[in-house]
Amino acid sequence: MNADTADTSVASEPAKTLGEPIIVIEDVRKSFAGLEVLKGVSLTVRQSEVVVLAGRSGSGKSTLLRCIDQLEPIDSGTIRVGGELMGFREKDGKRTPLPDHLVARQMRQLGMVFQNFNLFPHLTVIDNITVSPIKVLKRKREEARAEARALLARVGLPEKENAYPRQLSGGQQQRVAIARALAMKPKVMLFDEPTSALDPEMIAEVLDVMVDLSRQGMTMIVVTHEMGFARAAADRVLLMHEGVLVEEATPEEFFTNPQSAEARVFLSKILRH
Amino acid sequence: MNWSWAYFFEYLVNDLMIRGAWTTIWLSVVSMVLGLGLGVVAAMFKMYGNAVLRVIAEFYIWLFRGTPVLIQLVIIYTGLPQIGIRLTVIESAIIGLALNEGAYLAEIIRAGIMSVDRGQNDAARAVGMSWRERMWLIILPQATRTIIPPLGNQFNGMLKTTSLASVISMEELMRNAQMLAQIEFRVLEVYLVAATWYLILVTIWGLIQQRIEAHYEKPFGPAAAVSPDAKKQIEKAMGAGHV
Ligand SMILES: Nc1ncnc2c1ncn2[C@@H]1O[C@H](COP(=O)(O)OP(=O)(O)OP(=O)(O)O)[C@@H](O)[C@H]1O
Ligand SMILES: [Mg+2]
């Protein structure tokens, strides 16, 4: 009955059960004009897993996320989401790139949140969220709007539906961007430094939404240097260095007992300030 | 023959002049709308087309920006029948003006599209939009904001350029003024009336243009100016304007 009363302070959360692999990346390579940015990246992410991807500037973190989301075509390797090969059609062992509208369909499985929010400035908040559900998924307008309102409540912005993006603070814009991505009901959410363009006082409001999302079982890959978020929400921390994943560990291990030299250098730099 | 205010005011509301003004208006609107369609297509070909489409668009823009509208109109109306293509005055005027306008608008539209931040395309793709959806829902509406002011100026130019269609006997303001001048040889009064009519049309358009611009600026707020870079692009695209 009271066997575990001693450590209630630690076990505040039930252990999360991870599901089947949902993203499977094998040996992905990508070059820009002769510069190899991804040098054979392999990674498996399971259902409901939260992976934090760290690494210094230029190491290829954004490129990896953009390749997963098909914003950049890959040179070789495979990316599968829910078992489906992304970006290509495979026939008799030969690969041909998928046409634009089929890639667009695949991309709906993934939600992406950008460093600079990239909200649509000509649309109000609610239209930002509903434009794709209505025009692309052909959802009923009123239904889509009702869902958008629920999402706005979830990200803590119930009163902003008729505002234009320019009328919102950075933190508010980023939360709308998260709602916009969620409105497509993605299987996985990708975040590319979602808080690094924000004033310090706004970082928490965005991270809170993300932590919340992770608690509700969303599968997430998050590029961030917010190590507080990694501790609070990540199941795994990956370190990228010059286009290669050099370290993979639980947050606990990563911060207390990093294995690679790169991870030790990285930690010494970010923990210094 | 002295200057006569009486003739001036009589001509100002003369039936021939009013009909001419009306023709100038609809000819400008129709040519502009068709020119806009051509301009969008040419801009799309040039920006997103394969090599063949790009060459076609480049050639079209080069040809129509590189020759006077006057010659284009004369060739279409009086030259083409020689190879069996017979067009009415109205058809010739509309086609000539629209083709010419489209060549200028293509460059303006292209500059407008290029002024839209690249992140917008990424974001639209990330919410699963196809090329067509991105274009119609995200890119073009934002490009519109940069395109509208020069587009308005082009329409201002168009109202006046239609006067060139008088040489192929299109009965717009200029042509009707010429006819009126033949009756009593009150040349100064007649052409000043025509000039007054153009001023009236252009001034009214100016007021309408202000409203349209304000409408498209609304989402961006008073502080958000079009980037100087985009402005430069558009000024370059407009080049010498009409004629
Ligand atoms: N579209 C592109 N064209 C050319 N080079 C690119 C392009 N995108 C990225 N690169 C290059 O690829 C390398 C990796 O860039 P990437 O943006 O993936 O790094 P990152 O780890 O996200 O860095 P940061 O922390 O600065 O965001 C860099 O050298 C960058 O200059
Ligand atoms: Mg980056």
Side-chain angles (χ1 to χ4, degrees), chain B:
Chain B
M1 212 173 345
N2 290 325
W3 165 260
S4 156
W5 280 110
Y7 274 111
F8 178 82
F9 285 115
E10 191 194 314
Y11 289 156
L12 196 59
V13 292
N14 183 291
D15 196 40
L16 208 53
M17 296 308 281
I18 289 176
R19 271 189 289 145
W22 172 242
T23 303
T24 292
I25 293 171
W26 71 250
L27 179 61
S28 300
V29 171
V30 171
S31 305
M32 194 72 189
V33 169
L34 290 178
L36 195 56
L38 279 169
V40 170
V41 171
M44 293 289 151
F45 278 14
K46 193 168 166 180
M47 295 181 80
Y48 306 106
N50 59 29
V52 178
L53 295 181
R54 274 210 302 277
V55 169
I56 290 173
E58 294 276 8
F59 178 75
Y60 161 65
I61 294 167
W62 172 77
L63 186 67
F64 281 87
R65 282 175 53 134
T67 53
V69 196
L70 191 54
I71 293 184
Q72 292 164 19
L73 287 167
V74 170
I75 288 176
I76 291 170
Y77 182 60
T78 58
L80 291 185
Q82 210 174 315
I83 53 167
I85 302 172
R86 267 166 237 284
L87 298 166
T88 65
V89 170
I90 294 178
E91 288 164 354
S92 304
I94 292 174
I95 291 171
L97 291 170
L99 280 171
N100 181 72
E101 190 61 40
Y104 283 92
L105 293 184
E107 292 293 275
I108 289 172
I109 291 163
R110 196 171 73 96
I113 290 173
M114 287 192 325
S115 75
V116 178
D117 184 59
R118 247 198 90 218
Q120 291 293 307
N121 191 49
D122 285 345
R125 292 187 67 199
V127 289
M129 291 186 190
S130 64
W131 185 85
R132 195 184 296 243
E133 289 158 344
R134 299 198 295 278
M135 232 27 211
W136 279 113
L137 299 170
I138 306 301
I139 309 294
L140 283 178
Q142 288 182 60
T144 302
R145 169 176 174 245
T146 7
I147 290 169
I148 287 279
L151 195 66
N153 297 342
Q154 287 294 115
F155 187 69
N156 173 310
M158 174 65 93
L159 283 167
K160 292 170 290 185
T161 305
T162 51
S163 63
L164 294 174
S166 61
V167 299
I168 60 168
S169 70
M170 179 78 194
E171 293 182 0
E172 40 63 71
L173 260 177
M174 182 63 191
R175 171 81 177 171
N176 287 7
Q178 285 167 349
M179 293 198 290
L180 200 56
Q182 294 304 308
I183 299 171
E184 289 155 309
F185 300 102
R186 286 279 169 184
V187 177
L188 185 59
E189 285 86 348
V190 167
Y191 287 118
L192 278 179
V193 161
T196 306
W197 266 108
Y198 282 110
L199 281 171
I200 293 170
L201 297 185
V202 163
T203 306
I204 293 173
W205 170 247
L207 297 175
I208 297 173
Q209 189 183 343
Q210 272 177 15
R211 295 201 152 203
I212 298 177
E213 279 176 28
H215 173 80
Y216 280 98
E217 279 297 321
K218 197 179 129 211
F220 301 92
V226 172
S227 77
D229 227 37
K231 270 209 181 118
K232 219 179 278 166
Q233 282 282 341
I234 282 168
E235 272 156 25
K236 218 176 98 199
M238 287 181 71
H242 284 270
V243 187

Side-chain angles (χ1 to χ4, degrees), chain A residues 113-134:
Chain A
V113 175
F114 301 90
Q115 186 173 355
N116 299 318
F117 332 133
N118 289 339
L119 290 180
F120 305 131
H122 61 303
L123 300 179
T124 58
V125 162
I126 193 137
D127 288 341
N128 261 275
I129 299 171
T130 58
V131 61
S132 211
I134 293 171

Side-chain angles (χ1 to χ4, degrees), chain A residues 161-219:
Chain A
E161 64 174 77
N162 292 318
Y164 283 103
R166 68 169 170 94
Q167 298 165 319
L168 304 182
S169 71
Q172 291 173 330
Q173 288 192 48
Q174 193 61 297
R175 286 183 282 153
V176 172
I178 293 172
R180 175 178 69 179
L182 290 174
M184 297 298 286
K185 301 192 170 43
K187 292 180 183 154
V188 179
M189 287 282 286
L190 310 172
F191 295 83
D192 190 0
E193 303 203 34
T195 58
S196 59
L198 299 179
D199 294 337
E201 69 271 19
M202 292 171 186
I203 291 176
E205 67 191 42
V206 172
L207 291 180
D208 285 350
V209 169
M210 291 166 61
V211 170
D212 214 47
L213 205 54
S214 74
R215 295 218 171 109
Q216 286 161 30
M218 177 58 81
T219 312

